[in-house]
Amino acid sequence: MAELLSALAVALSWGLFALTWGRYRKRPSLHNALYSLGLLLFALGVSAELLARLLGAWTPALYRLWYLAGAMHGVTFLGLGSLALLNPRAARGLLLLLSPFILYGLHLVLSAPLDLSALPTPHAPSGKAFPEPSLTSPRLWTIPFNLLGTLLLAGVALYTTLLFWRRNPLRAQGTALIFVAALVLASTSTLNRLGVVGLEELGRALGVALLYLGVVLADRSAYAGGRA
């Protein structure tokens, strides 16, 4: 069952990336570029997690890929893309501000010592293979990146939902689903950090399904067709 849920999350993630990348190629914009990058990273993260489960254990390279793409930046660029939809200038400024920290996080993920034997199970999606959270450990930097990305993704979705609830119901329904998806994905990650395991596959599959449906509904609205 866990493998089936993981495979569903992988399929939906790559499908959503393909949809957004297609929108970017037709209508290039900062919003679509950042959202495509975010979905690519998310898809790589859930794919690495599924592959580790199928192999029965993480390899060092696969674990580092999962941590960078999924654990650290699973929602960072999705949040920036949402901000870019409302205010491209603010999104550019924030991306420029975050760039040194993003590069530093990349350096840490690639260079930090790894102890896969510290994981609760050989294929567990847990950050415990890296050193305890500190300024020189990747485990500390996942917190601000995920918090910022989730706040931007959920905040913009909630704002858009309230703004267009009467003017564009289809758009509002889509962004409401995106808001719920952000909460589900954030809750899953938070529970994982608190040591509550076993809900990752269900939470990610449900979160990605809601995100996919939300983006499709929003994309069909007249407003999304003119702005995204």
Side-chain angles (χ1 to χ4, degrees), residues 138-154:
R139 292 176 64 182
L140 175 67
W141 294 94
T142 59
I143 299 172
F145 283 130
N146 279 279
L147 180 60
L148 176 64
T150 299
L151 287 176
L152 288 174
L153 181 62

Side-chain angles (χ1 to χ4, degrees), residues 157-171:
L158 180 60
Y159 170 78
T160 308
T161 299
L162 297 175
L163 184 64
F164 289 96
W165 190 254
R166 292 186 177 180
R167 294 167 52 187
N168 193 326
L170 187 58
R171 172 74 178 180

